[in-house]
Amino acid sequence: MRLPIRYKIILPFAVLLVLVGVIGNSVATAQLTNAAVVPFDANLLHSSLVANQLLLQVDAARLADLRVATDTVGVSEALTAGDTTALTRLLLPVAGNVTVASIDLRVLDARGREIVRVQGSSAGPSSMTVTDPGEFGTDPAVTNVLAGKAPDRQVFLSRQPAGSVLYWAGPVRSAGGRIVGAVLTGESLSEVLPSIQGSALYDLSGVRLASSVSNPPVLTDAVRSGVKADNTVRTDDTLAGHAYRTLFSTWTMRGTPLGFLAVQARADSLVDSMNQLRLVLTLLFTAAALLTLLVGMATASLLTRPVDLLVRSMRAVSRGDLHHRASVVSHDEIGYLARTFNEMTASLEQKTAALEETTFASMEALARTIDARDPSTYGHSARVAAVSLEIADAMGIPEKDREALRRSALLHDIGKIGVEDKVLRKPGPLNSDEADDMREHAHIGYDMLKGLPFLKPSLPGILYHHERWDGAGYPTGLRGDAIPLPVRVLAVADVFDALTSDRPYREAMSFEAATAAIVVQAGLQFDPDVVTAFLSRRPVIEAMLRDLGKRGTILAATEAA
């Protein structure tokens, strides 16, 4: 079956359009979805940090109660003498001053046998003399306290019939410093958890101990093995018809691993917005593809109509129809074909320019998304571009070079898409391997964009923005004037914005301190002429950065000292 010429022309482009649409839709959906997820996960991490802080406050409060109990005058003497009546009389006021209803005070002798117990309740504390030595004397935390091992106050979990209880153990010493027994202060986890909303506690084996959520998540062995002191694990679950996101972290008190802490947040709105985003992008790409195909088919029909007429005429003649003339291409049709071709050429040039702008806008959106992966770098590229243009004005850089500078500033960190989050968000100095990974972002960004001809003037800024005036930079060690002037301008703007931005390991410098740091590096890291131009535009730059949300008044910790 012979296909008309217009279909032969349009078919390869249709296949390519479908492939590009599917891939582009997937990439755009992934990036925009990630941009929506980042703030949600940041709030979840903040909730986890708050929950850990509340647990530390519980630890501090119970330790204070323990110190009051062990240091009360007369407790040591009564414990040495085995006077349970005196111990009860001394400890009842201590329990009465504790605001926790479930407070549990237990007194153990030097051999770890429980002899007195004081319990709190809504009606007030009550006491009893214990004849059964109980199970506490064999707990490692208690034996360490009685043996005088450091630390002298320890914490441990105990399973009670009414639920799990968290105990703090401290020694009771005689006037001579000898350990004559121990006091335990306990608080039920069922009373601890209601003050920590959206959380659950698990023991080291993954068994849930207490929860303040209606649908607590299950801690699987796979998640439990992945949670470390320096690593949290996030899970997605659907419970009772609702979507949830949970962040699991370790639960440690006074250096003792007790289990795991889970902080849960309902993610229905996040899932709905992600689904709507996927649907909208799919519909947009589908509509754009159909429109492109319709325009392409109409254009191909206009371009190929004279050729189709000529082909049909040749076939008629080859069959012996020597009188056939109806299909011969006329001068009018040739003129029509020429006019159509010229119009298509002009339209193509316009569409090429529009496509370049659209492509750059997509790249810029991707760069902004990469900035948003870390709250401390949000908006960094846009501010660097604005500062770079102010310095370029002071140096009289031509307009065409200014546009290339603006684009390179907006895209200079796009290569960080290839750097892992654990390196980008590390709250401290990078080790040598991590620093090597971070330095690769310049090459990654260059390799991503080098195939786009219209971005060719901007590529040096993307590849060389970490080069230094003295040649000690990377990736190639360029020195002095060998570094293009727009790149030298970008380097100053990049460092100034970084110094005046908060980082996980330091606070932002003031504008004055950051300016001083730039001046000190003139002739070393930076081109002195660029630094001079920067200083001449400094008031305008500072005002502009304040308009963009920079505070510029917080001194770095080193400066404040």
Side-chain angles (χ1 to χ4, degrees), residues 373-431:
R373 290 169 70 186
D374 185 348
S376 65
T377 61
Y378 182 78
H380 169 68
S381 297
R383 294 192 298 269
V384 171
V387 174
S388 297
L389 291 180
E390 290 296 333
I391 300 174
D393 278 346
M395 301 193 74
I397 292 177
E399 183 64 31
K400 63 182 182 64
D401 293 334
R402 283 166 46 84
E403 178 59 20
L405 171 60
R406 183 183 75 89
R407 290 185 172 187
S408 62
L410 289 171
L411 301 177
H412 74 282
D413 276 341
I414 196 171
K416 288 184 179 178
I417 194 173
V419 181
E420 294 183 0
D421 281 350
K422 67 179 182 181
V423 176
L424 282 178
R425 300 181 183 178
K426 184 176 181 180
L430 303 180
N431 60 39

Side-chain angles (χ1 to χ4, degrees), residues 194-473:
S195 64
I196 308 176
Q197 294 300 315
S199 62
L201 290 172
Y202 304 78
D203 65 15
L204 292 171
S205 63
V207 176
R208 188 173 69 252
L209 303 175
S211 173
S212 61
V213 294
S214 56
N215 295 297
V218 176
L219 178 55
T220 64
D221 291 340
V223 172
R224 185 163 54 88
S225 62
V227 178
K228 306 295 181 185
D230 59 348
N231 185 60
T232 58
V233 174
R234 190 197 69 211
T235 62
D236 296 303
D237 302 291
T238 300
L239 303 170
H242 295 285
Y244 292 91
R245 278 204 163 192
T246 306
L247 189 68
F248 288 94
S249 60
T250 55
W251 173 30
T252 302
M253 282 188 173
R254 305 191 62 73
T256 301
L258 297 177
F260 303 92
L261 168 67
V263 175
Q264 185 187 77
R266 183 177 288 188
D268 288 340
S269 59
L270 177 65
V271 172
D272 290 342
S273 64
M274 289 168 59
N275 290 336
Q276 290 175 3
L277 180 63
R278 293 189 183 99
L279 178 60
V280 169
L281 286 176
T282 300
L283 292 176
L284 285 176
F285 273 104
T286 302
L290 290 175
L291 181 60
T292 302
L293 286 175
L294 290 174
V295 172
M297 290 183 66
T299 303
S301 297
L302 291 174
L303 290 174
T304 59
R305 186 167 66 88
V307 178
D308 281 337
L309 293 174
L310 180 59
V311 169
R312 285 200 298 271
S313 297
M314 292 177 62
R315 287 175 180 167
V317 172
S318 66
R319 289 196 300 268
D321 185 2
L322 301 179
H323 300 287
H324 181 82
R325 295 182 179 273
S327 298
V328 176
V329 180
S330 66
H331 289 290
D332 291 339
E333 289 173 331
I334 292 175
Y336 169 79
L337 179 59
R339 290 193 303 274
T340 302
F341 179 78
N342 291 333
E343 291 172 358
M344 289 300 299
T345 301
S347 176
L348 183 60
E349 291 175 351
Q350 295 174 355
K351 290 180 179 179
T352 300
L355 180 60
E356 289 180 359
E357 286 301 320
T358 302
T359 303
F360 176 75
S362 300
M363 295 297 101
E364 182 183 358
L366 179 57
R368 293 179 188 273
T369 301
I370 293 167
D371 282 352
R373 290 169 70 186
D374 185 348
S376 65
T377 61
Y378 182 78
H380 169 68
S381 297
R383 294 192 298 269
V384 171
V387 174
S388 297
L389 291 180
E390 290 296 333
I391 300 174
D393 278 346
M395 301 193 74
I397 292 177
E399 183 64 31
K400 63 182 182 64
D401 293 334
R402 283 166 46 84
E403 178 59 20
L405 171 60
R406 183 183 75 89
R407 290 185 172 187
S408 62
L410 289 171
L411 301 177
H412 74 282
D413 276 341
I414 196 171
K416 288 184 179 178
I417 194 173
V419 181
E420 294 183 0
D421 281 350
K422 67 179 182 181
V423 176
L424 282 178
R425 300 181 183 178
K426 184 176 181 180
L430 303 180
N431 60 39
S432 59
D433 290 337
E434 292 167 340
D436 289 340
D437 290 342
M438 181 66 80
R439 291 190 186 100
E440 283 298 312
H441 81 272
H443 270 305
I444 294 171
Y446 176 81
D447 291 338
M448 284 176 62
L449 304 177
K450 66 183 180 181
L452 300 174
F454 72 95
L455 284 180
K456 185 176 181 181
S458 302
L459 292 179
I462 295 165
L463 181 60
Y464 299 133
H465 65 277
H466 284 293
E467 299 289 0
R468 293 170 54 101
W469 181 256
D470 59 8

Side-chain angles (χ1 to χ4, degrees), residues 521-539:
Q521 289 297 317
L524 297 174
Q525 185 174 356
F526 307 118
D527 179 352
D529 292 338
V530 175
V531 174
T532 300
F534 164 75
L535 292 176
S536 71
R537 301 293 290 178
R538 177 187 162 191

